Each structure stands twice: as C-alpha cells, then as structure tokens.
Amino acid sequence: RFHDGSGFMSTGTVMVGDETLNYSYDVTTDNMNGRTLSGFSIAAEAKMYRCDACPYSEYEKYYNYYKAFDYSDQYVLGALDQQRVNFANNGKDFSRWNSIVARGEAAKKGSQYMGVYMYVIRELEDAKADCKAGCMDCNDDPVHAWDEGVAFYTGSLEGSDGSGDGDFLYSLADKRCSNFMTCGENSGANSGTAKVNHDIFDLFAEGQGYLSSGQCDKLTSVISDITTYMRIPLVQGSLRYAYKVAELNGGEKEKAEGDVFTAAILPVVHDCNPNAASVIERNMDFQSTRTDQAAVKTAYESVYSCMGISCADVGGLFNAGTGTDYPGASACVTDGSSGLNSGSFATNSIFAVVLGSVAGLFALVSV
C-alpha cells in the first residue's frame, strides 16, 4: 500500500521480468498480503523479544535504546504522518520536517534499513532455534527459514547473480562500497560487488550447510558474523551523509538520509559507548543546526572494535572525481577501543571537534 492509504488500481498491468501481465481484483476483499514491511516491526515483540529463544541479542540492543518494540514502524509512520515520535533516545519530531522529500527518505530508508535489517536476523535466528541437532533429514523447515533470511537481505530485483538494481541491504552494501572503496572480494575497488556481500554470502552458504547436516551449535557464530557485516554499510551511510551535510552543502534530503542511516545503527553504538552515541545523535539529527563531520567520524571509530568491525572494513570516503579520499574522510589506521570510559571519550570528542573546526578552515573540498 502507498503512503496515502491507496493500493494498486482495481485493474491494470504489471511487469514481471520482460513480460507485461494484465490483472484485476477487488480492492476491498482481495488484499491478502501475508507479510508487510510494517508487519516485520509490529511482530517484533513476539518474534524477537518474547519467543522461546528470545530476546535476540541484536534486537535487544535496539529495544533497550528506543524502548519501543516497533521502533522502525513508529519511525516510518511518524515520517509519513508528519507526527512526533517519542523514543527514550533519538526521538523525532516529524511535525517539524516540512520537506516531503525529507520525510520520504525517512520512510523509505527506515523501512529498508531499520525494519528489514532486523527481520533478516530474525529469520536466521528462527532457523537456528528450529534446527534439530544431529538430524540429516528433518531440517527442511529451518533451511527454509534460512533461505527467507537470504531473500529478505537480497530482495527480488538483484537477479540470480546480484547484478540487478535492488532496494534492500544487498544493494545498499554495493552502493556504499563504491563510495568507500570496499568493493571486491579483497576490498580496494570502487565498483562491483561489495566485500560485505561476498563475505555474507559465504556465511549464508556455510550456515545452510550446518542446518542441512544438523550442526546447530555452529550457527551462533555464523549469525553473529553476518550481523556484524550488515552493520558496515549503515556506518558508511551515516559517515557519508555527515560529510555531505557538513562539507558539501547538503540540504534537507541529505540531512534526512543522514538521520535515518544513523537511527539504523545508533543502538549498537550506544550499547558500546553511550557518549559516542550522544555525539553522533546530536550531529546527525535532521533538526541539528550544525554537523561536525570530524566529531561524528571520531565517535564511530572509537567503537569500531566493540562493534566487531575495523577501519579497513569501513574504508575512507572516496572522491571519484579526484581519485583520492575527501579531505578529513580517509580511513582510520587504528581502531578505537570499546573500553573508553565516558569521561575520557567526552574529553577526546571535544578535542576532535576543535581540531576538526580548525582543519575545516583550510580544507578545500572538491564537489
């Protein structure tokens, strides 16, 4: 259904591959969607927090941060309806987002990167929970759940080889790898398939093998690694739009994209270091009057090791026009420690803000 409450017209045509198909249906009785993007979030409490194997570790971070089981649905509906959303942290007053383009970005990317992200993890966890150890012939249902996790990660538009132009997390990883030089099996390229996607699909295949052979206990580390890799494009997205807004005169669209990428990863940052999360939130909120890219970058880098990622995983923001990284946006060399106490991080953040402000006076940015 569309944002105005409407759906498909009662008669029309749809494209399936290269084929045009005619259809007709009764709009009042024939809407039989078994799953919706909204439903992924609405069902989260039952399926990710209160199930027999719950709460799932990644979902618990998000619930603890937002204190809302359906946080992604609330975020998206707040954007669509232009209403305030009261979270425990990072609340949004969409009533003050007067740009429909900005609210559209929030709704679209909130569905994709907040809602679908967590439901991929749910399907993988569900497969693990249903796996029967040592059984070679009774794990068809868990394998099916695992395949659904792969499908939700990839979407339906990528094609059989991933060369299509999709809308879900697989496509996001490919887009961000071109911005951060993290494409290719060994990273270092700015086109092609993201290293993240190569690694995740290797893990998908590994997990499927464990399910088929009943090696259930080996799935825990596989799911943990997939989750970790999925975080990387979200961090890259937040960093990219921090730079666009702060240094490249980004407008409301860029501020909205920065807001939603940040909202999609901030609970993980907060779980590692609440003060780092606070620095990022203050700078990346759509209504922030000033974005300090250096402070945002420093805050993320301080929790890389805690998040399970590295400087090399994230890379540096690449300027294809000059063939070099944007000034002040190169990959870090040493990953920050997750053991920084709140006081030391606050001091280091202020120092980074000062340095970033001074450096900004001398940096010549090529658009």
Side-chain angles (χ1 to χ4, degrees):
R1 299 181 70 82
F2 303 133
H3 73 273
D4 62 357
S6 65
F8 283 108
M9 300 292 289
S10 59
T11 60
T13 60
V14 294
M15 291 290 296
V16 179
D18 296 328
E19 187 176 3
T20 301
L21 302 176
N22 296 315
Y23 74 87
S24 63
Y25 79 117
D26 186 328
V27 298
T28 62
T29 61
D30 292 341
N31 281 309
M32 302 295 290
N33 295 338
R35 284 177 170 147
T36 65
L37 295 176
S38 176
F40 290 171
S41 180
I42 292 171
E45 179 180 0
K47 293 186 175 183
M48 303 182 212
Y49 196 81
R50 302 195 187 281
C51 64
D52 290 342
C54 290
Y56 298 147
S57 174
E58 189 77 350
Y59 179 75
E60 192 170 26
K61 295 179 179 69
Y62 284 72
Y63 174 71
N64 287 342
Y65 182 73
Y66 286 115
K67 293 300 181 185
F69 292 110
D70 57 344
Y71 60 88
S72 68
D73 192 53
Q74 288 194 38
Y75 185 99
V76 170
L77 290 180
L80 292 175
D81 297 333
Q82 203 172 0
Q83 293 181 350
R84 184 179 182 87
V85 180
N86 294 310
F87 294 132
N89 295 286
N90 199 33
K92 299 296 168 190
D93 189 359
F94 288 110
S95 68
R96 299 176 65 183
W97 290 38
N98 294 319
S99 166
I100 192 170
V101 172
R103 297 198 310 277
E105 291 295 334
K108 178 174 65 175
K109 290 180 169 60
S111 297
Q112 295 165 311
Y113 308 143
M114 296 174 74
V116 175
Y117 169 89
M118 194 59 66
Y119 207 78
V120 170
I121 296 169
R122 187 266 166 182
E123 291 289 1
L124 304 183
E125 291 281 6
D126 187 47
K128 183 182 75 171
D130 290 344
C131 180
K132 295 178 175 60
C135 182
M136 297 291 290
D137 301 314
C138 58
N139 280 317
D140 287 348
D141 287 343
V143 169
H144 179 70
W146 191 266
D147 288 347
E148 287 187 332
V150 176
F152 289 134
Y153 177 80
T154 311
S156 62
L157 302 177
E158 291 292 343
S160 59
D161 60 356
S163 63
D165 186 15
D167 291 313
F168 280 2
L169 296 157
Y170 185 99
S171 177
L172 173 65
D174 280 354
K175 289 176 181 176
R176 292 295 83 90
C177 82
S178 68
N179 304 133
F180 285 82
M181 291 285 287
T182 52
C183 303
E185 291 188 45
N186 298 309
S187 194
N190 69 334
S191 63
T193 301
K195 183 179 186 299
V196 162
N197 283 334
H198 285 292
D199 292 337
I200 284 178
F201 267 79
D202 286 346
L203 289 164
F204 280 151
E206 183 179 347
Q208 185 183 54
Y210 290 147
L211 282 166
S212 297
S213 59
Q215 299 181 73
C216 308
D217 55 353
K218 292 186 176 181
L219 292 169
T220 300
S221 63
V222 173
I223 295 172
S224 177
D225 288 346
I226 291 171
T227 301
T228 297
Y229 282 123
M230 284 170 56
R231 295 168 180 165
I232 294 170
L234 300 178
V235 173
Q236 291 173 327
S238 182
L239 288 171
R240 180 175 185 242
Y241 286 99
Y243 201 91
K244 281 195 165 197
V245 171
E247 306 294 346
L248 302 178
N249 299 314
E252 290 187 329
K253 180 179 183 295
E254 288 76 18
K255 290 185 73 173
E257 293 190 77
D259 188 298
V260 70
F261 275 116
T262 302
I265 194 62
L266 210 50
V268 182
V269 177
H270 185 271
D271 186 68
C272 290
N273 189 317
N275 283 310
S278 180
V279 170
I280 296 167
E281 178 189 345
R282 287 198 306 270
N283 281 277
M284 296 303 295
D285 186 86
F286 178 81
Q287 293 176 247
S288 176
T289 57
R290 180 174 179 271
T291 298
D292 190 309
Q293 175 265 340
V296 171
K297 185 172 183 288
T298 298
Y300 273 119
E301 290 168 358
S302 75
V303 294
Y304 279 177
S305 61
C306 174
M307 293 173 68
I309 63 180
S310 69
C311 295
D313 289 331
V314 176
L317 185 58
F318 183 68
N319 184 341
T322 64
T324 60
D325 289 337
Y326 282 101
S330 294
C332 56
V333 177
T334 303
D335 303 322
S337 169
S338 61
L340 291 171
N341 62 47
S342 58
S344 65
F345 181 77
T347 301
N348 290 340
S349 295
I350 293 170
F351 184 60
V353 169
V354 173
L355 287 179
S357 300
V358 173
L361 296 174
F362 299 96
L364 178 62
V365 180
S366 174
V367 179

